[in-house]
């Protein structure tokens, strides 16, 4: 759910623009209103579109079909929409290859020839002969079934892989022999929010919920369980390892590389987890608790024999690495290996080293340590941007990492941990001249005086005349950091003279736990204020103006857009909320939504929390007689993360109450979910439609020549 210059100077291009197209008589479908009223702490709240929450009803299906017809009829008349698609397809059409990894006797890697709907998993044998291993493009005719997690047995002779159908979070798991491609047993079904982790070659661990009553796409799923599946046995006989008696919303288990320990994480929300460990070398050994509360994030990153290495933010908001003996693993016995610094830490391990990836103002700094905590070197990176990787098995001699920023397509580097030498492993050949663009980081002031970073990217030589089409993107939640990365659709936007600006709002993880906490629960308004201040900065500095500004965000970022456009509808010309959490009074009643309560709180908590949520909840804050910006809501009919009812209800409210001529559309992808696994064709078309809608409503009738 993350990210996504029409240069107005007539000396460089001729562009038709003016007032926004007048959309007289937008003929929206009639959305019947019900009489549902909920009572929260003696306050009555009407919910007239409650019926749209029933994703299985024929009435909802008919409404979706009618809304999509209105939307696509509108998009079809945009004169430059096809030209955008041609350019985006051309730019997208380059070979993409992942970093390789070794399993058993083969080297594996993902590759996409350019416009394949799904990337293909390839392998090479000891002689360097390449072959297709798994091709998800063959899983379904429409490219809507995607490959999820892939995990190999200890000796690499078997693989368990998951697939998602129609973008759903529910998965199926297959087990295959890697030599003869034979499926070894019946498919495991109804697996959700799960990794796959083998115990030797005999079986593997996975997680899921009991299948809910009612719709599997919207019914609440609240008790996660960790299972062990022994190869050759029926799924109904899988052992529940954790979660049967102790109710937790998120439970996951993984086996250490030496197959000595099972590490279990259990949580009730998106922040804070209990940590457990089990000795797999001793039959029927008990599960031992390491952390018995939800006050910190904790994870075992590796072990050396009976010594565990743990990444944690306990007593260290920016995280540190500690070690502890497994026979006495409680936090009071933890010892610092890599102490906390002023910068937020994420960690990977490989080749017998620890790699500390620090984030300084949303940009990566990487340091290599040995397991005693001794600094080996600071790694010289290709530039300022986002680095990920450096992970691998202890015996690997070469590791890999990727580097990207807003003007640099993701490039993979090989790295020799002993010498510190880096070399380009795979550089994509993209039809984009990075040297013609510039990214600038600025710090602007939010409503309460807090300094917020934002990176602004555009063509060199941009004129600050207030007339540059601009997309302002944000997220601001769940400790997620928006770091610089190249996006093909953003490249097309900037080629056409547009500005792409990303604000690092509170609620994210850019400055650690305090930054995250400052955008949660009763401080959530800080996030919206930060976003509003970003828009005001761009306008005040004449990068753009309200007539040429679009705001965009997905999931929690969809909430961000919905709240911002209902609080300050005058600030932007276009609003683009995607798969957003729009009904803050009811989000916790769907699928796993209750787990988001650390960030949001719930309407059931207390009267004060209910009133706070109601004060910004987008669905409840659409008002009649207000001139809202041109809006295109996007969602998927199989989104079981943020159910599409959020977007349905928000769009219905806007269509009923919008004044003047700005259109309110909802674009509903069929057989699509929250975003993961979406086909390349569907992704391209969605981005084409978003950019076409934005430019058209900024007054453009053609693209620059």
């Amino acid at each position: 759910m993350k990210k996504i210059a029409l240069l107005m100077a007539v000396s460089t291009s001729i562009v038709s623009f003016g007032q926004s197209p007048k959309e007289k008589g937008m003929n929206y479908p009639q959305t019947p209103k019900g009489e549902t009223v909920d009572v929260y702490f003696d306050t009555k709240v009407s919910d007239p579109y409650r019926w749209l929450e029933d994703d299985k009803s024929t009435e909802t299906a008919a409404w979706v079909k009618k809304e999509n017809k209105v939307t696509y009829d509108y998009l079809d008349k945009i004169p430059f929409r096809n030209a955008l698609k041609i350019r985006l397809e051309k730019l997208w059409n380059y070979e993409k290859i992942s970093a390789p990894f070794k399993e058993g006797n083969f080297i594996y890697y993902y590759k996409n020839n350019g416009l394949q709907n799904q990337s293909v998993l390839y392998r090479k044998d000891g002689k360097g002969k390449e072959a297709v291993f798994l091709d998800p493009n063959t899983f379904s005719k429409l490219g809507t079934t995607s490959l999820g997690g892939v995990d190999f047995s200890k000796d690499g002779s078997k693989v368990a892989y998951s697939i998602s159908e129609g973008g759903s979070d529910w998965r199926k798991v297959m087990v295959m022999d890697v030599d003869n491609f034979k499926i070894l047993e019946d498919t495991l079904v109804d697996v959700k929010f799960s990794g796959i982790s083998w115990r030797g070659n005999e079986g593997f661990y996975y997680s899921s919920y009991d299948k809910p009553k009612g719709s599997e796409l919207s019914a609440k799923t609240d008790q996660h369980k960790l299972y062990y599946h022994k190869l050759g046995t029926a799924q109904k006989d899988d052992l529940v390892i954790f979660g049967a008696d102790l109710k937790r919303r998120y439970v996951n288990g993984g086996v250490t590389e030496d197959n000595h320990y099972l590490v279990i994480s259990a949580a009730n929300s998106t922040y804070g987890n209990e940590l457990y460990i089990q000795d797999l070398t001793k039959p029927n050994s008990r599960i031992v608790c390491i952390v018995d509360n939800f006050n910190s994030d904790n994870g075992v990153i590796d072990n050396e024999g009976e010594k565990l290495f743990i990444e944690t933010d306990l007593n260290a908001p920016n995280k540190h690495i500690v070690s502890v003996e497994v026979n006495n693993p409680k936090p009071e016995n933890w010892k610092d290996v890599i102490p906390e610094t002023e910068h937020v830490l994420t960690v990977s391990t490989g080749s017998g080293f620890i790699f500390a990836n620090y984030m300084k103002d949303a940009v990566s700094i990487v340091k290599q340590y040995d397991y005693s905590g001794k600094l080996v070197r600071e790694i010289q990176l290709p530039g300022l941007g986002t680095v990920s990787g450096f992970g691998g098995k202890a015996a690997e001699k070469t590791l890999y990492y990727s580097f990207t920023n807003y003007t640099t397509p993701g490039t993979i580097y090989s790295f020799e941990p002993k010498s510190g030498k880096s070399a380009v492993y795979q550089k994509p050949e993209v039809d984009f001249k990075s040297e013609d663009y510039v990214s600038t980081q600025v710090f602007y002031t939010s409503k309460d005086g807090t300094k917020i970073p934002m990176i602004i990217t555009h063509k060199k030589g941009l004129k600050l005349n207030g007339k540059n089409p601009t997309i302002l993107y944000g997220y601001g939640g769940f400790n997620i950091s928006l770091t610089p990365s190249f996006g093909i659709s953003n490249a097309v936007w900037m080629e056409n003279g547009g500005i792409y600006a990303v604000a690092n709002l509170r609620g994210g993880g850019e400055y650690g736990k305090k930054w995250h906490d400052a955008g949660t629960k009763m401080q959530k308004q800080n996030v919206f204020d930060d976003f509003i201040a970003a828009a005001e900065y761009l306008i005040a500095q004449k990068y753009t103006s309200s007539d040429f500004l679009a705001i965009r965000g997905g999931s929690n970022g969809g909430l961000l857009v919905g709240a911002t456009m209902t609080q300050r509808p005058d600030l932007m010309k276009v609003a683009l909320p995607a798969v957003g959490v729009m009904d803050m009074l009811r989000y916790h009643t769907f699928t796993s939504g209750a787990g988001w309560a650390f960030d949001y709180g719930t309407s059931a908590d207390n009267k004060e929390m209910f009133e706070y949520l109601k004060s910004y909840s987008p669905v409840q804050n659409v008002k009649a007689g207000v001139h809202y910006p041109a809006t295109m809501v996007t969602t998927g009919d199989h989104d079981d993360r943020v159910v599409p009812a959020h977007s349905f209800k928000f769009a219905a409210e806007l269509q009923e109450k919008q004044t003047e001529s700005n259109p309110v559309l909802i674009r509903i992808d069929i057989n699509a979910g929250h975003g993961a696994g979406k086909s390349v064709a569907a992704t391209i078309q969605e981005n084409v439609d978003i950019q076409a809608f934005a430019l058209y409503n900024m007054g453009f009738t053609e693209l620059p020549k």
Side-chain angles (χ1 to χ4, degrees), residues 110 134 147-151 159-163 171-173 194-196:
Y110 293 88
L134 286 171
L147 180 63
V150 175
D151 199 76
V159 64
Y161 65 93
S162 65
I163 64 169
R171 302 285 196 263
K172 294 178 179 178
V173 176
S194 178
I196 302 170

Side-chain angles (χ1 to χ4, degrees), residues 677-699:
K678 183 178 288 189
S679 72
V680 165
T683 302
I684 288 174
Q685 190 60 62
E686 181 180 55
N687 280 286
V688 165
D689 291 347
I690 285 170
Q691 290 190 25
F693 179 83
L695 291 171
Y696 189 58
N697 281 281
M698 291 172 184

Side-chain angles (χ1 to χ4, degrees), residues 12 97 224 232 247 255 345 420 424 528 660 684:
T12 58
I97 301 176
H224 216 200
K247 183 178 178 181
V255 179
L345 170 68
V424 173
F528 313 138
E660 297 190 31
I684 288 174

Side-chain angles (χ1 to χ4, degrees), residues 382-629:
L384 296 178
T386 302
V387 171
S388 59
F390 294 105
K393 296 178 181 178
E396 298 294 340
K397 303 293 190 236
T398 302
L399 302 177
Y400 299 87
Y401 68 91
S402 66
F403 172 82
T404 184
N405 57 36
Y406 291 119
T407 63
T408 306
T411 301
I412 298 173
Y413 291 80
S414 62
F415 178 76
E416 307 297 334
K418 287 191 175 181
S419 67
K421 180 181 178 182
S422 288
V424 173
Y425 174 79
Q426 196 270 333
K427 184 177 182 179
E429 296 182 4
V430 187
D431 182 22
F432 179 77
K433 296 181 179 179
S434 299
E435 64 274 14
D436 292 345
Y437 297 82
V438 62
S439 281
T440 305
Q441 186 172 58
V442 301
F443 291 82
Y444 64 89
T445 304
S446 190
K447 184 178 181 179
D448 65 357
T450 302
K451 293 292 184 182
I452 311 294
M454 175 167 57
I455 296 179
I456 307 168
T457 309
H458 53 76
K459 275 184 179 177
K460 291 178 179 177
L462 183 84
K463 292 189 176 181
L464 300 181
N465 57 11
K467 295 182 179 180
N468 301 298
T470 299
I471 290 177
L472 171 61
Y473 186 90
Y475 188 79
F478 296 95
N479 201 36
I480 291 173
S481 303
L482 297 187
T483 60
S485 66
F486 183 79
I488 301 170
S489 62
N490 297 332
V492 170
W493 177 261
M494 294 187 297
E495 277 187 341
N496 287 325
I499 295 172
Y500 184 64
V502 178
N504 297 110
L505 315 172
R506 281 175 285 184
E510 289 85 352
Y511 295 102
K513 191 174 187 304
K514 291 180 180 178
W515 193 255
H516 175 208
D517 289 348
T520 62
K521 293 189 175 73
M522 301 294 286
Q523 300 186 92
K524 187 65 178 176
Q525 183 61 40
N526 285 339
V527 184
F528 313 138
D529 290 342
D530 292 353
F531 203 49
I532 289 168
E536 292 175 335
Y537 176 90
L538 292 168
I539 292 168
Q541 299 300 314
K542 297 192 181 298
Y543 283 98
T544 192
S545 65
S546 293
D547 288 334
F548 295 95
L549 177 63
I551 59 172
R552 186 177 181 184
S555 196
N556 175 74
L559 163 63
L560 171 70
V561 172
T564 300
M565 65 177 284
T566 51
Q567 292 182 15
R568 287 291 307 276
D570 60 305
L571 193 57
M572 73 295 300
K573 185 62 179 176
V574 178
L576 301 165
V579 293
V581 189
M582 299 301 199
D583 187 345
M584 298 306 297
L585 302 186
R586 287 181 55 74
Y587 78 86
H588 60 290
T589 66
F590 304 113
T591 61
S592 58
W596 311 336
F598 181 88
D599 263 57
Y600 296 148
T602 77
S603 58
D605 288 350
N606 52 61
K607 184 176 182 180
E608 184 183 26
M609 192 73 251
F610 153 69
E611 290 176 344
Y612 191 81
L613 289 167
K614 184 174 180 290
S615 72
Y616 72 78
S617 178
V619 166
Q620 283 78 29
N621 281 281
V622 180
K623 296 179 173 59
V626 175
H627 186 192
Y628 290 104

Side-chain angles (χ1 to χ4, degrees), residues 12 31-32 35-36 44 49 66 105 126 220 226 231 235 311 352-353 389 443 457 506 542 604 613-614 632 640 644:
T12 58
T31 307
E35 298 181 354
T36 301
K44 293 182 178 180
Y49 300 118
K66 291 176 182 177
N105 299 319
K220 192 171 186 177
L226 178 67
L231 217 57
Q235 186 178 5
E311 177 184 10
F353 294 98
F443 291 82
T457 309
R506 281 175 285 184
K542 297 192 181 298
L613 289 167
K614 184 174 180 290
M632 187 163 71
D640 48 3

Side-chain angles (χ1 to χ4, degrees), residues 374-388:
K374 178 184 177 182
L375 177 65
V376 177
R377 63 177 60 86
E378 179 173 338
I379 296 169
Q380 297 301 307
L381 302 177
L384 296 178
T386 302
V387 171
S388 59

